[in-house]
Amino acid sequence: MNAASIAAGIDDLYRRAVERPAEVDEPLLIEWAETTSEMAGADRDQAKVVRRAIRTAKKLARYWTEHDPSALPDWRNGVDEALGGKGWQAQLDTLRFALEKAPDPELFELVKQRHHVVHFSEWMEGVAYEEWLEAR
């Protein structure tokens, strides 16, 4: 399982929900879920993240069907406008679950970045991966 790829796939789904909400229909979501579930494998936590991402994409698509996304400076602002920081929780969770199961310096940095986006606060500020790993 590549958690970074799953998080990027969720980003792509959300981008489509903001920029082209009419395209986010059941067939697209089913296809996306199948592809993403294959990447996640049999991981139960990641399966929950996939389901949450689909629910979130539906909310985004509903919101942006009724609003004009063309005035947004970036599609990410569309997620923030519609859902706030919690709209990014699925990406954080997929990275966090992977980091817990298979610690990796790249995942550690990605979790730090995504945590800030969701919670507006630093995670492990000033702590290096090696220190975190040793303290686990």
Side-chain angles (χ1 to χ4, degrees), residues 34-96:
E34 289 172 356
T35 302
T36 307
S37 294
E38 286 175 17
M39 283 193 290
D43 189 300
R44 198 170 188 209
D45 291 327
Q46 295 297 359
K48 289 179 186 178
V49 170
V50 169
R51 289 190 300 272
R52 181 184 307 130
I54 289 170
R55 288 191 305 272
T56 301
K58 286 179 180 180
K59 289 177 189 175
L60 283 170
R62 276 194 303 270
Y63 182 88
W64 288 107
T65 297
E66 298 172 4
H67 297 82
D68 180 15
S70 66
L72 294 170
D74 185 78
W75 68 271
R76 291 171 192 86
N77 296 92
V79 176
D80 292 338
E81 180 178 323
L83 303 170
K86 290 296 181 186
W88 302 103
Q89 187 70 47
Q91 292 91 321
L92 173 60
D93 286 347
T94 198
L95 296 167
R96 187 173 49 85

Side-chain angles (χ1 to χ4, degrees), residues 3 10 31 37 39 48 53 57 82 91 93 99 110 119 124 131 133 136:
I10 296 170
E31 179 182 333
S37 294
M39 283 193 290
K48 289 179 186 178
Q91 292 91 321
D93 286 347
L99 182 64
L110 290 171
H119 298 290
M124 296 289 147
E131 294 174 84
L133 187 61
R136 275 184 83 204

Side-chain angles (χ1 to χ4, degrees), residues 117-131:
V117 171
V118 173
H119 298 290
F120 306 105
S121 65
E122 299 299 323
W123 178 76
M124 296 289 147
E125 184 175 8
V127 176
Y129 169 74
E130 293 78 16
E131 294 174 84

